[in-house]
Amino acid sequence: MYRNIIKTMALVFPVALFMIYGCKKDFLKTTNPNQITETQFWKTDADVMSAVASVYSPLRQPLYGYWGAFIGIQNINSLGDDVLTFPGGEAATTNIALFTNEATNSDAASIFSTLYKSIYRANQVLTNIDKVPIPEEKRKAYIAETKFLRGLCYFTLASNFGDVPLIITSAKTASDQFVPSTPVNQVYEQVILDFTDAKNGLPEVRPSADMGRATSGAAIAYLGKTYLYTKDYQKAAATLALLNSSPYNYDLVPEFSDNFTSKNEFNKEAVFQWVYGPFGDPYNPWGAENANAGMYNYLPQLIGPRAGGGWFKYVPTNYLVNQFMLEKRPAGSDTKFDKRMYYTLSWKRSNFGEADVTWYGGTQTFDQLWASARANVTKISPASLLDTISPGKFLINKFTNGWSGVASADNYWSATPSTANNVIMRYAEVLLMHAEAVAQNGDLATAIIDVNKIRQRAGLNAKTAADLPDLTSVMNEISHQKMLELFFEQNRWHDLKRWYTPANLKAHFTTVNKQGAQYLQPRNYIFPIPTTELQTNNKIKQNPLW
């Protein structure tokens, strides 16, 4: 299993970070190079491995970075119509959720700089790897892995910031570090090149010692996602279809919840994931790149209710709850509602004719969870944004440790903070992306087959061509299933941007009581280039929308 433990960060030479790959969650062997220079470093296979590992590090940081709970995950998810953010917390987060952010927003700036940190490290690997005497096959694999990570960074920048500086070589002079923004369509072209090279050079599977590192399947999934985002539906469909047959063996796992806990990690649904484990100081996660930084997953701390030890920053919208309840399961089923709802949300089930359950090792009833949530819930104004009258009380359970059997398990001060991996590309998403692509190409029958695989696991009846007779009805079902299946997985906002014009999205947000709907403008479809970057790089200009 991939593990990266950061030891040294020296900004004065190209390799900014030295880290170790590990084969198990209990792998803890580390080295501590001290002030290694560039001429000393690029000598061995171990040097290259450490350098490639350093590219992963900023992306999988437990709190910071695009997939870090405290910065990226909460901000990107807050923009959708499925969660409400409590005011009175971090101003930068609240401003993004309300569409009142400006170029000075520190959260967006952190995302921007973190992604470029990984890009810088990737370019260093690609520039220097030929200096190292390693077998050609291994060299090509390292290059493909590095290009996948660089492509992932630029895909994330393009989808969030639009036009951004495109830097694919190492700077030779100080002035080389500063370049103007490249049009977003050209950034996506580079993303496609990087993912294509990664697809062709990465292994299809990893041995147990390397689980968690990128594979060709991950590259194919993100290449298909890039084609989908750029509306090249023919290539998106053809690319994503590669993952539906040999040599790939992806499939949906029977238990939806196994994608989000530590019970069944590295399962057949996981296409790409950030790996976490019980190493470092779990109680000091803020210094994310130091020798003793915690390698735990802090999503439960972000989401969990107060009674479970969490910070409790989000609550599901009425719209999400209503979407889950639109369709009941067939008569005689073991649950009344969509099976995914029982892991995604927590609520008082007796209000709906089902037996109540408890969480956190039987220490918390729903009434107790809700009582601990009241202080934050009452901050949401106007009150009409959230139905808090029984039976309209719901909380988020997905990604929390409510299942763990441990009291207060969402608190990182707990004796057992989460070590669950964060799967950021699942086969379920591949199916739904493929469904969208083939539907846009006119193949509604195949789209319905893809959607029915998702519905079947959720315990819902299959849809037929009579149920979904045209593109509009198929796309509505895809939108519905993506909302429920991928809730809080950083997809909803990007889907809404692709499917709605700004004016139509504003109307939708108003209808479903999305907080900040009145402030949404076309410019909010992207983040502005951060002020700190504009002040540093005199060749860059702010995006015209801003």
Side-chain angles (χ1 to χ4, degrees), residues 368-538:
Q368 290 171 311
L369 294 180
W370 185 260
S372 76
R374 284 294 298 166
N376 273 5
V377 169
T378 55
K379 296 177 183 177
I380 296 175
S381 181
S384 61
L385 291 178
L386 184 66
D387 176 10
T388 59
I389 305 301
S390 181
K393 301 175 182 178
F394 289 82
L395 298 174
I396 298 173
N397 183 63
K398 190 176 183 180
F399 292 114
T400 75
N401 282 322
W403 60 273
S404 67
V406 178
S408 196
D410 291 337
N411 191 334
Y412 73 71
W413 293 101
S414 165
T416 55
S418 176
T419 59
N421 294 343
N422 182 14
V423 183
I424 64 169
M425 176 59 72
R426 296 195 281 123
Y427 184 62
E429 183 180 353
V430 172
L431 285 173
L432 290 167
M433 290 192 297
H434 183 256
E436 180 180 349
V438 296
Q440 293 291 348
N441 291 331
D443 185 358
L444 302 186
T446 299
I448 293 172
I449 291 172
D450 289 337
V451 167
N452 280 337
K453 291 177 182 178
I454 300 294
R455 291 178 57 85
Q456 180 180 14
R457 181 171 66 178
L460 304 174
N461 285 334
K463 293 288 188 179
T464 67
D467 298 319
L468 306 173
D470 52 31
L471 178 61
T472 297
S473 60
V474 170
M475 284 301 302
N476 286 340
E477 176 64 17
I478 290 170
S479 173
H480 175 67
Q481 291 303 326
K482 288 198 79 173
M483 183 182 196
L484 304 184
E485 177 73 27
L486 302 174
F487 170 72
F488 221 78
E489 295 181 52
Q490 292 175 285
N491 279 277
R492 185 63 179 172
W493 170 239
H494 294 296
D495 286 339
L496 292 173
K497 290 194 300 180
R498 293 188 300 109
W499 297 334
Y500 287 88
T501 66
N504 289 340
L505 184 56
K506 186 170 186 175
H508 168 71
F509 277 169
T510 301
T511 299
V512 302
N513 281 327
K514 157 67 178 171
Q515 60 189 161
Q518 67 272 32
Y519 302 120
L520 179 66
Q521 303 175 51
R523 72 176 192 170
N524 294 116
Y525 270 43
I526 58 173
F527 290 133
I529 300 296
T531 298
T532 50
E533 180 69 15
L534 296 172
Q535 292 171 340
T536 303
N537 180 359
N538 60 11

Side-chain angles (χ1 to χ4, degrees), residues 103-161:
T104 54
N105 186 276
S106 59
D107 282 7
S110 178
I111 293 170
F112 188 90
S113 63
T114 296
L115 292 167
Y116 274 105
K117 185 185 294 183
S118 280
I119 290 168
Y120 168 79
R121 295 173 186 179
N123 288 338
Q124 290 298 316
V125 173
L126 298 174
T127 296
N128 291 289
I129 192 171
D130 286 343
K131 299 176 182 178
V132 184
I134 55 177
E136 182 64 12
E137 183 177 352
K138 181 172 282 190
R139 185 184 73 86
K140 289 181 178 179
Y142 280 137
I143 290 173
E145 186 172 14
T146 303
K147 285 189 174 182
F148 169 78
L149 294 169
R150 187 175 68 180
L152 185 59
C153 289
Y154 274 122
F155 171 81
T156 308
L157 284 164
S159 58
N160 282 290
F161 291 88

Side-chain angles (χ1 to χ4, degrees), residues 6-11 13 15-18 35 117 121 289:
I6 301 135
K7 302 306 297 179
T8 301
M9 185 173 187
L11 298 178
F13 63 90
V15 182
L17 209 54
F18 301 93
Q35 298 296 323
K117 185 185 294 183
R121 295 173 186 179
E289 289 196 322

Side-chain angles (χ1 to χ4, degrees), residues 29-49:
K29 181 179 179 181
T30 64
T31 58
N32 188 16
N34 183 27
Q35 298 296 323
I36 297 177
T37 66
E38 181 178 1
T39 57
Q40 293 173 317
F41 183 73
W42 295 102
K43 298 294 185 183
T44 68
D45 186 355
D47 292 341
V48 178
M49 181 180 290

Side-chain angles (χ1 to χ4, degrees), residues 203-224:
E204 293 148 8
V205 295
R206 292 283 189 178
S208 59
D210 291 333
M211 295 294 286
R213 293 172 64 179
T215 62
S216 60
I220 289 169
Y222 276 101
L223 178 60

